[in-house]
Every structure is written in structure tokens, then in C-alpha cells.
Amino acid sequence: MELLILAAMGSRYGGLKQIEPIDEFGNFIIDYSIYDAIQAGFKKVILVIKEENYDDFYNTIGKRIKGKIEIEYVFQK
């Protein structure tokens, strides 16, 4: 199974809310989604992002989940 996450920037939020810490431990909303997916048996996460945000997502989400679940980045145009 694959989890598809639409993570391109939200215009109303004005930034990358998916990689903004939401708790005192520095977790992101997306961390909880990926954790639940792993627990449910998903084997791959597909992140739909803007190409210019790749480094931000790789350096936060990508590094956190490396070795835990396969990740693929798809660029929204």
C-alpha cells in the first residue's frame, strides 16, 4: 500500500505548514500521518510538493523517515 500526501504550500497558511512543529517535541503533522501509515502496513509514502521545496522536505521529513518507509517525491506544477 502507498500513502499519498498532498503537501504543496497552502496559500491561506502562507508557508509550509506540513513541516512546522506542532508540539513541544518538534513533531510535524505529517509525522503522525506517516507513523500511522507505517503501523497500518503501508510500504511507501508519496509526497506531492512544489519542486522548489524539495530540499526543505528532504532535510526534514526525508531524513526522519529514511530506513523506516520508502519515500517518493512528486512535483506539483
Side-chain angles (χ1 to χ4, degrees), residues 3 29-42 69:
L3 174 65
I29 291 173
I30 211 166
D31 288 329
Y32 291 97
S33 299
I34 294 170
Y35 174 83
D36 289 342
I38 292 169
Q39 296 304 308
F42 283 75
I69 191 169

Side-chain angles (χ1 to χ4, degrees), residues 9-47:
M9 186 173 106
S11 58
R12 292 180 298 200
Y13 184 76
L16 296 173
K17 66 182 169 186
Q18 296 81 1
I19 55 174
E20 283 285 323
I22 62 166
D23 63 20
E24 65 273 15
F25 304 109
N27 292 313
F28 311 133
I29 291 173
I30 211 166
D31 288 329
Y32 291 97
S33 299
I34 294 170
Y35 174 83
D36 289 342
I38 292 169
Q39 296 304 308
F42 283 75
K43 301 296 182 202
K44 182 177 185 179
V45 173
I46 302 167
L47 291 176

